[in-house]
Amino acid sequence: MHLPNVKHALIGKPFPSSAQHHERLDKFRALAVFASDPISSNAYATEAIMSILIVLGSAALGLTLPIALGIAALVLLVVFSYTQTILHYPRGGGAYIVAKDNLGTTPSLIAGAALLTDYVLTVAVSVSAGIRAIVSAFPELPLHDYEVEMALAAIVILTWLNLRGVRESGTVFALPTYAFIGGVFLVVVIGLVRYFGLFGAPPMVSPAPVIESAPPVTAFAFVWLVMRAFAAGCTALTGIEAISDGVPAFQAPESKNAATTMVMMAGTAMTLFLGISFLATHLNLVPHPNDSILSQMTRAVTGGGPLYYWVQLFTMLILVLAANTAFQDFPRLSYFLARDGFMPRWMTNLGSRLVYSSGIGVLAVTASLVVIAFHADEIAMLPLYALGVMISFTVSQAGMVRLWGKIARIRPGGELVTPATVLHPETELGWKRLVNGVGAVTTGVVLVVLLVTKFVDGAWIIALALPALVFLFRSIKKHYVGVAQALRTKGITTADLTEIADIVLVPIGDVHRGTLRAIKYAKRMSRHVRAMMVATADTDKDMVLERWRRFPEITDDVDLVFIDYEYRDILTPLVEYIERVHHEEYPNLLTTVVLPEFVPRTAGEHLLHNQTANIIRFRLRAHEDIVVVDVPYHISSLRNKPVAEAPREILEVDLPQPPAPLHNGHAHVSETRANGRRRRK
Amino acid sequence: MHLPNVKHALIGKPFPSSAQHHERLDKFRALAVFASDPISSNAYATEAIMSILIVLGSAALGLTLPIALGIAALVLLVVFSYTQTILHYPRGGGAYIVAKDNLGTTPSLIAGAALLTDYVLTVAVSVSAGIRAIVSAFPELPLHDYEVEMALAAIVILTWLNLRGVRESGTVFALPTYAFIGGVFLVVVIGLVRYFGLFGAPPMVSPAPVIESAPPVTAFAFVWLVMRAFAAGCTALTGIEAISDGVPAFQAPESKNAATTMVMMAGTAMTLFLGISFLATHLNLVPHPNDSILSQMTRAVTGGGPLYYWVQLFTMLILVLAANTAFQDFPRLSYFLARDGFMPRWMTNLGSRLVYSSGIGVLAVTASLVVIAFHADEIAMLPLYALGVMISFTVSQAGMVRLWGKIARIRPGGELVTPATVLHPETELGWKRLVNGVGAVTTGVVLVVLLVTKFVDGAWIIALALPALVFLFRSIKKHYVGVAQALRTKGITTADLTEIADIVLVPIGDVHRGTLRAIKYAKRMSRHVRAMMVATADTDKDMVLERWRRFPEITDDVDLVFIDYEYRDILTPLVEYIERVHHEEYPNLLTTVVLPEFVPRTAGEHLLHNQTANIIRFRLRAHEDIVVVDVPYHISSLRNKPVAEAPREILEVDLPQPPAPLHNGHAHVSETRANGRRRRK
């Protein structure tokens, strides 16, 4: 077979199932694995805020830092709230699972759908931003025109690596993540030193602020734009939730290490975010389509030396890693949903390399479509982004509030709900509930702000997609439940299963070795074998009968029915005849059709023969109680038999008459019984 | 079913076979039917000559008329020679049939391939030229940019009409053909009157000849260009041969009427050709890409009034009719070739509307590809054109020479070879042979000139395509002869047909109503039923066994085999197991595999289930002696049975475990027999 070899070459030899293993991460590597997504958003989050504020004129860019501070406060709250989830769900507590446990099916499906869309956007946004880092670094090259192609190529490479089964290997992740953190941190420090003229250095000469006059706006419009800028900056929050799903990947004590890592991660990300936001505004930078703010800032601070290229390179790499985390998260969440019957069941299947290949494929295709639709412009995608993660924050924390309430209600009776309950003295419960409650309300409010401010710019797409996805999930579940009900075996007996009719129908186009072989097979299945042949104007019935009678040993106790038909499509009367026998002669019984099928050797030979057997089988599929038996005949097998006579002269006679192509005429079927019915009874 | 309804709406309801009829044409209508192709070449033949001569400077355009006279002489010779074929083959004597009768297989296949390529080019050239007539008529519209699209649309319309079964209805053809003849004739007459200033009219003021200085050429180059111009003008000969195939369409006496019509047709075509060539050169016209010579001439003569638009309109229509004749000729010739086994046999099948739909489809696709490849520029296609018709002239007349020779040799012995022989007194035979001989030699020489002069410009494509086609024809024939040999029945007995093994294998994924139904069916086929299931790391064998033993009535005398497998692709071990049983346990016997197949109701549901049964069936196709039995289960059928228990709780247990997707790992198959073998013997 060709296909598997190509597959082996591309994605490698299959792994045995036993090869599945779970790498445990220490905090240093765990930070690298999980931080790439939230930390990488520093590549665009500040710029996202500024590109909204610029509408108010460049003077308004000074609002960037206060807004960044607000976002940092929000991150602090979310992280504080999420540590409680992590401690309570040591086996992984993503929003879908927390919601399913505590709020019920619909909220869990909403959270699931929201996260899935966000993972798709993570890939599209991160890859586009990563490509932009490269484009910014080499303004003299005409790379700007190929951003879409480069972004798609990056997705293809990520897909390929993930189908091969690249793991969240902490070591691989560590380098770009820490190189990025270190590089940006150094730039921020040098920038601050130079800006304030510390250590005796002269204060940095930054270009004079370009104060553009913007049309005066009303107070309402001003608040609206500030809210929009805040919403835009909320992309900095994406990826924070991933750690809650990945608790089992930590070394023991898993929950504690995960919580510590989360705090460290948020601290690092926000330090960089505030540093970048401070410098970007105080160096009077202005967003530019082909040169990102981070690139401008680094160039202004470093003067474009090696440190500049270092930052650009690792910006690109950390963004690719961020996209890669979505390649881990999306298939994992799909697996959970598919396992519960809300997504196609094949999404639970591990591929030959022990990864969820289907989930990887679905993610790659959808993310590519987003990249194409938005021309790889990550700033244009941002209005759709961060909504999903905010929904998952809100749902997850609301679920936690419910959970603490449940535990509190049960405690008085002395019952333990979960092993984790023992960890929570009663006084703590109220506090925990308060923290998650404040978190849920805050993220809920932010969610509304995001939805309202971004609605026209693209959030409406998410607002339409999520209910559609939830509906789809429910339909899929309904289908599977229906199938399961239909297949259930409890208490059935042989009698409950459809009985089998004592008839075998054999449609034939001619009398030759292939059809005789099928008739011989049919005779093994039943004493009542009926061969049918469509007789058109061209058919010489006498010749067929003569040939039929030449093999009494095979055909003697078999009926031969001619179906007279005056249209060209001979498959329709055959199918209709079979249907009639099934419904009228043997109603509610399993009726058997034996199809002699010529199997060509090559694709080229396929073109020389009608796919009669395939078409009949396809048309009979609609009938639940018709069994189709394929009796193949290959030219090689038949040819093995000794053939004594000269071939040429019999050509005219024995060449099988190929049936006419498919159409659906009005059949005037009149039957002619060819043989008397002599049966062994 | 959806498809047939769409088909009915598009191409109409099917006709019964009895509806096939043959319209007999009187000479008036026959001329219209057969003349559209040769007469329509007036739309471009003169221009084709001029566009070669222009290389020598516009002064050389004066050579157009002498060249046109040479071509007219050639036409005269060909027509004279062809009348003899028509008189001898009253049932139709196209080049393929004449060559097959008199020269043998290879020459007939060469003629057939040559004509098929020419018919494809007739469609491409005529449609492109027809579109150009419209584009020329409205120079103010930006139609020039859409020539390819318009040409493809015209092909689609022609295809549609022909699939509906439009006949060569003489009446429909008569109008545009005679309107074109009349229009162009009138233009030529008015042109001549005005040019010579007859009837007292002042001689026409034509623009002064633009004498462009061309680089001086050698005598050889001059002769070469004149030969090329002659070759280009030979497109005027296309379509003349069609009448020889269509003799049976004439009213009695068919041959005589056909011959008369052929002479009239050639006379008309050449009159117009010479008239156009005379005026085009004497009015000092120069070829222009967006304005054809015929259009320029008509405008110059008529001043652009209604007669101009009349000519342009009917130029377009007669060209479309010319393309339409190829839609009749190509399928007819394909039918002959397919009937003899040289083309796929389905090309002999009449479609539901009693036309050779496959031939129409093949022609439409290939002509469209030519139009696209040549950007609907018919002048660029002409180097490929007319070669085929010249080959068919040469082969056909050579065949006639052979025929007269045979008849002459037989005559002395007094034997009559064909009924037609009586018509030829001995003295006539030598004369007839001479006429066809001169014809064959002349067209043969012209063929060489065409091939040599047009070779670089595109004739090499035909020179490559024809041998390839002949090779393909022979390969197809070889295949059909092989199949016929393999299928031949002479003297075979039951013992010659492969015996059937007493085993039925049932691959299952789980124990549920669908698989139990298949097992029940399998038990009807044999006492030796063996169910197989692949056991992966996740499979709980005990649970499967527990469920298996719950139905002793069905499963008691059935073996259950677990195939241990540590990779993810569970189809490979199943197929390998089946192959092993077939080859080792039951070698050279027909081995039966029963496949329980879940049939989803809708396309959407298909996405939720694996195509396990289809994939297994596809993989087993390679084995000539494995019979596959599909036992379908539809959710609707299964659901009909009363289900008493609540559905939810059993979901976890009874939901069928979908098998993992396909891959080709290295199987370590170790088997576990589940049941003791208790069989009724």
Side-chain angles (χ1 to χ4, degrees):
Chain A
M1 300 255 288
H2 282 295
L3 216 61
N5 291 339
V6 174
K7 201 177 154 191
H8 284 187
L10 278 177
I11 71 163
K13 299 225 167 205
F15 291 135
S17 302
S18 55
Q20 201 170 18
H21 75 296
H22 296 283
E23 193 185 9
R24 290 299 182 115
L25 300 168
D26 56 34
K27 273 177 279 184
F28 177 77
R29 292 187 297 154
L31 182 60
V33 168
F34 289 105
S36 64
D37 188 0
I39 287 180
S40 71
S41 50
N42 279 306
Y44 48 79
T46 302
E47 182 163 356
I49 298 173
M50 294 170 76
S51 60
I52 300 289
L53 290 177
I54 197 78
V55 175
L56 293 172
S58 51
L61 293 178
L63 288 168
T64 305
L65 192 59
I67 289 172
L69 281 167
I71 288 165
L74 181 61
V75 168
L76 198 72
L77 181 67
V78 167
V79 165
F80 195 35
S81 177
Y82 250 68
T83 50
Q84 302 195 152
T85 310
I86 289 173
L87 292 172
H88 192 75
Y89 281 91
R91 297 185 53 197
Y96 172 69
I97 290 176
V98 172
K100 190 178 131 191
D101 278 6
N102 301 304
L103 297 176
T105 305
T106 304
S108 73
L109 292 182
I110 293 171
L115 282 174
L116 287 181
T117 57
D118 237 28
Y119 293 145
V120 171
L121 286 160
T122 297
V123 173
V125 168
S126 302
V127 163
S128 301
I131 295 301
R132 187 129 167 274
I134 298 301
V135 172
S136 298
F138 302 100
E140 66 280 12
L141 297 181
L143 296 175
H144 185 61
D145 299 337
Y146 301 98
E147 281 182 1
V148 173
E149 289 81 355
M150 290 161 72
L152 292 179
I155 292 176
V156 168
I157 292 169
L158 280 173
T159 308
W160 172 64
L161 285 173
N162 278 282
L163 285 177
R164 283 190 74 94
V166 70
R167 303 303 171 83
E168 290 180 350
S169 162
T171 319
V172 172
F173 273 62
L175 175 71
T177 305
Y178 286 112
F180 177 80
I181 294 173
V184 175
F185 191 73
L186 198 60
V187 170
V188 168
V189 169
I190 297 174
L192 292 175
V193 166
R194 291 189 59 193
Y195 180 75
F196 290 111
L198 300 180
F199 306 116
M204 189 172 169
V205 183
S206 62
V210 188
I211 305 290
E212 279 173 21
S213 60
V217 293
T218 61
F220 174 78
F222 180 81
V223 171
W224 175 251
L225 277 165
V226 170
M227 276 169 68
R228 283 187 62 199
F230 176 82
C234 281
T235 51
L237 276 81
T238 56
I240 289 182
E241 89 295 347
I243 220 166
S244 62
D245 247 340
V247 184
F250 283 82
Q251 289 177 343
E254 291 88 353
S255 290
K256 194 170 160 297
N257 283 335
T260 315
T261 306
M262 193 178 203
V263 172
M264 281 161 54
M265 175 179 88
T268 312
M270 284 309 109
T271 305
L272 297 183
F273 181 51
L274 293 176
I276 293 170
S277 298
F278 178 87
L279 281 177
T281 44
H282 288 82
L283 296 180
N284 301 317
L285 304 180
V286 174
H288 184 277
N290 293 355
D291 198 6
S292 68
I293 285 291
L294 183 59
S295 160
Q296 290 185 46
M297 182 192 89
T298 311
R299 199 183 287 118
V301 169
T302 65
L307 186 54
Y308 171 77
Y309 290 100
W310 173 281
V311 168
Q312 290 307 106
L313 174 66
F314 287 105
T315 300
M316 194 269 285
L317 286 179
I318 200 175
L319 282 164
V320 169
L321 287 186
N324 194 62
T325 57
F327 273 92
Q328 313 279 340
D329 300 337
F330 185 98
R332 183 170 48 206
L333 181 54
S334 304
Y335 167 82
F336 286 135
L337 282 159
R339 194 193 54 188
D340 294 342
F342 294 111
M343 284 180 82
R345 197 154 289 266
W346 39 259
M347 296 195 88
T348 63
N349 295 335
L350 284 170
S352 63
R353 301 279 287 189
L354 307 178
V355 293
Y356 298 108
S357 323
S358 331
I360 292 171
V362 171
L363 173 63
V365 170
T366 44
S368 299
L369 292 177
V370 173
V371 165
I372 293 168
F374 286 90
H375 302 290
D377 177 359
E378 82 277 12
I379 302 293
M381 296 172 199
L382 290 179
L384 283 73
Y385 198 33
L387 273 169
V389 77
M390 211 54 76
I391 290 171
S392 82
F393 285 150
T394 311
V395 169
S396 164
Q397 289 173 112
M400 292 306 291
V401 172
R402 190 71 160 311
L403 176 68
W404 302 132
K406 258 196 287 186
I407 294 173
R409 273 198 304 283
I410 290 156
R411 180 64 55 89
E415 258 181 282
L416 293 182
V417 174
T418 69
T421 319
V422 293
L423 300 170
H424 311 296
E426 199 164 343
T427 48
E428 264 187 26
L429 276 178
W431 172 239
K432 283 171 188 291
R433 208 175 166 192
L434 181 70
V435 168
N436 283 130
V438 172
V441 170
T442 312
T443 52
V445 170
V446 173
L447 172 60
V448 173
V449 171
L450 288 189
L451 194 63
V452 171
T453 56
K454 294 175 162 190
F455 194 83
V456 181
D457 298 326
W460 61 270
I461 299 173
I462 301 296
L464 286 180
L466 292 190
L469 274 175
V470 171
F471 177 78
L472 183 67
F473 292 159
R474 290 198 163 279
S475 309
I476 290 172
K477 176 78 171 194
K478 197 174 151 203
H479 169 78
Y480 282 126
V481 170
V483 172
Q485 265 182 280
L487 293 182
R488 56 199 298 283
T489 49
K490 214 170 227 174
I492 61 158
T493 62
T494 313
D496 290 329
L497 300 171
T498 319
E499 289 300 328
I500 299 143
D502 191 10
I503 179 79
V504 176
L505 301 172
V506 191
I508 62 172
D510 196 355
V511 181
H512 54 60
R513 198 182 272 269
T515 46
L516 289 173
R517 176 181 157 104
I519 288 164
K520 178 175 173 180
Y521 189 92
K523 285 170 72 180
R524 267 288 295 263
M525 298 184 74
S526 168
R527 285 158 308 160
H528 302 159
V529 176
R530 196 185 299 171
M532 306 103 65
M533 181 172 162
V534 173
T536 63
D538 319 325
T539 311
D540 188 341
K541 288 188 198 175
D542 288 338
M543 202 179 70
V544 171
L545 270 179
E546 188 273 316
R547 238 182 294 166
W548 181 260
R549 293 199 180 108
R550 222 191 283 164
F551 309 98
E553 200 189 350
I554 303 166
T555 61
D556 232 20
D557 41 8
V558 175
D559 287 331
L560 174 62
V561 176
F562 284 110
I563 305 168
D564 291 320
Y565 190 60
E566 58 164 345
Y567 292 88
R568 303 300 311 176
D569 157 31
I570 63 157
L571 297 187
T572 296
L574 278 179
V575 169
E576 283 172 1
Y577 182 85
I578 293 166
E579 289 170 347
R580 205 141 43 84
V581 170
H582 174 52
H583 290 304
E584 291 170 17
E585 296 185 45
Y586 301 92
N588 300 321
L589 294 176
L590 268 179
T591 308
T592 304
V593 176
V594 166
L595 291 180
E597 178 173 8
F598 179 76
V599 183
R601 285 165 302 183
T602 63
E605 289 186 3
H606 264 281
L607 294 178
L608 301 180
H609 296 272
N610 291 310
Q611 301 298 308
T612 320
N614 282 328
I615 297 169
I616 293 180
R617 185 174 50 230
F618 181 79
R619 291 229 225 162
L620 291 177
R621 267 176 81 94
H623 297 279
E624 54 208 29
D625 286 339
I626 292 181
V627 171
V628 174
V629 181
D630 281 294
V631 181
Y633 55 100
H634 290 230
I635 189 167
S636 50
S637 61
L638 298 166
R639 212 188 249 162
N640 287 340
K641 321 289 169 188
V643 178
E645 297 87 339
R648 266 289 162 113
E649 57 196 310
I650 57 102
L651 247 184
E652 296 304 308
V653 181
D654 275 348
L655 214 55
Q657 197 66 27
L662 200 68
H663 93 64
N664 203 20
H666 296 270
H668 296 268
V669 184
S670 74
E671 288 162 40
T672 319
R673 284 277 146 105
N675 263 23
R677 292 175 150 243
R678 278 177 288 155
R679 281 175 186 162
R680 357 171 181 122
K681 277 200 176 137
Chain B
M1 300 255 291
H2 282 296
L3 217 60
N5 291 339
V6 174
K7 202 177 153 190
H8 284 187
L10 278 177
I11 71 162
K13 298 224 170 207
F15 291 135
S17 303
S18 55
Q20 202 170 18
H21 75 296
H22 296 283
E23 193 184 9
R24 290 298 180 116
L25 300 169
D26 56 35
K27 273 178 278 185
F28 177 78
R29 292 188 296 155
L31 183 60
V33 168
F34 288 105
S36 63
D37 189 359
I39 287 180
S40 70
S41 50
N42 279 306
Y44 48 78
T46 302
E47 180 162 357
I49 299 174
M50 294 170 76
S51 62
I52 301 287
L53 292 176
I54 195 78
V55 175
L56 293 172
S58 50
L61 292 179
L63 288 168
T64 304
L65 192 58
I67 289 172
L69 281 167
I71 288 165
L74 182 62
V75 168
L76 198 72
L77 182 68
V78 167
V79 166
F80 195 35
S81 177
Y82 249 68
T83 50
Q84 302 195 153
T85 311
I86 289 174
L87 291 172
H88 193 77
Y89 281 91
R91 297 185 54 197
Y96 173 68
I97 289 175
V98 172
K100 189 179 130 191
D101 279 5
N102 301 304
L103 298 175
T105 306
T106 304
S108 72
L109 293 181
I110 293 171
L115 282 175
L116 287 182
T117 56
D118 238 28
Y119 292 146
V120 171
L121 285 160
T122 297
V123 173
V125 168
S126 303
V127 163
S128 301
I131 295 301
R132 187 130 165 274
I134 298 301
V135 172
S136 298
F138 301 99
E140 67 279 12
L141 297 181
L143 296 175
H144 185 62
D145 299 337
Y146 301 97
E147 281 182 3
V148 173
E149 289 81 354
M150 289 160 73
L152 292 180
I155 292 176
V156 167
I157 292 168
L158 279 172
T159 308
W160 173 65
L161 285 173
N162 279 282
L163 284 177
R164 283 190 73 92
V166 70
R167 303 303 171 83
E168 289 180 350
S169 161
T171 318
V172 172
F173 273 62
L175 174 69
T177 304
Y178 286 111
F180 177 80
I181 294 174
V184 174
F185 191 73
L186 198 60
V187 170
V188 167
V189 169
I190 296 174
L192 291 175
V193 167
R194 290 190 60 193
Y195 181 75
F196 290 112
L198 299 179
F199 306 114
M204 189 172 170
V205 182
S206 62
V210 187
I211 306 289
E212 279 173 21
S213 60
V217 293
T218 62
F220 174 79
F222 180 79
V223 171
W224 176 252
L225 277 165
V226 171
M227 278 168 69
R228 283 186 62 198
F230 177 82
C234 280
T235 51
L237 275 81
T238 56
I240 290 182
E241 87 295 348
I243 220 167
S244 63
D245 247 341
V247 183
F250 283 83
Q251 288 178 344
E254 290 88 352
S255 290
K256 195 171 159 295
N257 284 335
T260 316
T261 305
M262 193 178 201
V263 173
M264 281 162 53
M265 175 179 88
T268 312
M270 284 309 110
T271 305
L272 297 184
F273 181 51
L274 293 176
I276 294 171
S277 298
F278 178 87
L279 281 177
T281 45
H282 288 81
L283 296 181
N284 301 316
L285 303 180
V286 173
H288 184 279
N290 292 356
D291 197 6
S292 69
I293 285 290
L294 183 60
S295 161
Q296 291 184 46
M297 184 192 89
T298 311
R299 199 184 288 115
V301 169
T302 65
L307 186 54
Y308 171 78
Y309 289 100
W310 172 281
V311 169
Q312 290 307 108
L313 174 66
F314 286 105
T315 300
M316 194 271 284
L317 286 179
I318 199 175
L319 282 164
V320 169
L321 286 186
N324 194 62
T325 57
F327 273 94
Q328 313 278 340
D329 299 337
F330 185 99
R332 183 169 48 206
L333 182 54
S334 303
Y335 167 82
F336 287 135
L337 282 160
R339 194 194 53 187
D340 294 342
F342 293 111
M343 283 181 82
R345 197 153 288 266
W346 38 260
M347 295 194 88
T348 62
N349 295 334
L350 285 172
S352 62
R353 301 278 287 189
L354 307 179
V355 293
Y356 298 108
S357 322
S358 330
I360 293 171
V362 171
L363 174 63
V365 170
T366 45
S368 298
L369 292 177
V370 173
V371 165
I372 293 168
F374 286 89
H375 303 291
D377 177 359
E378 82 277 11
I379 302 292
M381 296 173 200
L382 290 179
L384 285 72
Y385 198 32
L387 274 170
V389 77
M390 212 54 76
I391 290 171
S392 81
F393 285 151
T394 311
V395 170
S396 163
Q397 290 172 112
M400 292 307 291
V401 172
R402 190 68 161 312
L403 176 67
W404 303 131
K406 257 195 289 185
I407 294 173
R409 273 198 304 285
I410 290 158
R411 181 66 55 91
E415 260 181 281
L416 294 182
V417 174
T418 69
T421 319
V422 292
L423 300 171
H424 312 297
E426 200 163 341
T427 47
E428 262 187 29
L429 276 178
W431 171 241
K432 282 174 187 290
R433 209 176 165 191
L434 181 70
V435 169
N436 282 132
V438 172
V441 170
T442 312
T443 51
V445 170
V446 173
L447 172 60
V448 172
V449 171
L450 288 189
L451 193 62
V452 171
T453 56
K454 294 175 162 189
F455 194 83
V456 181
D457 297 327
W460 61 271
I461 299 172
I462 301 297
L464 286 180
L466 291 191
L469 275 175
V470 171
F471 177 78
L472 183 66
F473 292 159
R474 290 199 162 278
S475 309
I476 290 172
K477 175 79 170 193
K478 197 174 152 206
H479 169 79
Y480 282 127
V481 170
V483 172
Q485 264 183 278
L487 293 183
R488 56 198 298 283
T489 48
K490 214 170 227 174
I492 62 158
T493 61
T494 313
D496 291 329
L497 300 170
T498 318
E499 290 299 329
I500 298 143
D502 191 11
I503 178 80
V504 176
L505 302 172
V506 191
I508 61 170
D510 197 355
V511 180
H512 54 62
R513 196 182 273 269
T515 47
L516 289 173
R517 174 181 159 108
I519 288 165
K520 178 175 174 180
Y521 188 92
K523 284 171 71 180
R524 266 289 295 262
M525 299 184 74
S526 167
R527 285 158 308 162
H528 301 159
V529 176
R530 196 185 300 171
M532 305 102 66
M533 180 172 164
V534 174
T536 63
D538 318 326
T539 312
D540 188 340
K541 289 188 199 174
D542 288 338
M543 203 179 71
V544 171
L545 270 179
E546 187 273 317
R547 239 182 294 166
W548 180 261
R549 294 199 180 108
R550 224 191 281 163
F551 310 98
E553 200 190 349
I554 303 167
T555 62
D556 232 20
D557 41 9
V558 174
D559 287 331
L560 174 62
V561 176
F562 283 110
I563 304 169
D564 291 319
Y565 191 59
E566 58 165 344
Y567 292 88
R568 304 299 311 176
D569 156 32
I570 63 155
L571 296 186
T572 296
L574 277 179
V575 169
E576 284 172 0
Y577 183 84
I578 292 168
E579 288 170 348
R580 207 139 44 82
V581 170
H582 174 53
H583 290 303
E584 291 170 16
E585 296 185 44
Y586 302 92
N588 301 320
L589 294 175
L590 269 179
T591 308
T592 303
V593 176
V594 166
L595 291 180
E597 179 174 8
F598 179 75
V599 183
R601 287 166 300 183
T602 63
E605 288 186 4
H606 264 281
L607 294 178
L608 301 180
H609 296 272
N610 292 310
Q611 301 297 309
T612 319
N614 282 329
I615 296 169
I616 294 180
R617 184 173 51 230
F618 181 79
R619 291 228 224 161
L620 291 177
R621 267 177 81 95
H623 297 279
E624 55 208 28
D625 287 339
I626 292 181
V627 171
V628 173
V629 181
D630 280 295
V631 180
Y633 55 99
H634 291 230
I635 189 167
S636 49
S637 62
L638 298 166
R639 214 190 249 160
N640 287 342
K641 322 288 171 189
V643 178
E645 296 87 340
R648 268 289 163 116
E649 58 198 310
I650 56 101
L651 249 184
E652 295 305 307
V653 181
D654 275 346
L655 214 55
Q657 196 66 27
L662 199 69
H663 92 65
N664 201 20
H666 296 270
H668 297 268
V669 185
S670 74
E671 289 162 39
T672 320
R673 283 276 144 103
N675 263 22
R677 293 178 149 240
R678 277 176 287 156
R679 283 176 185 161
R680 355 172 182 121
K681 279 202 174 135

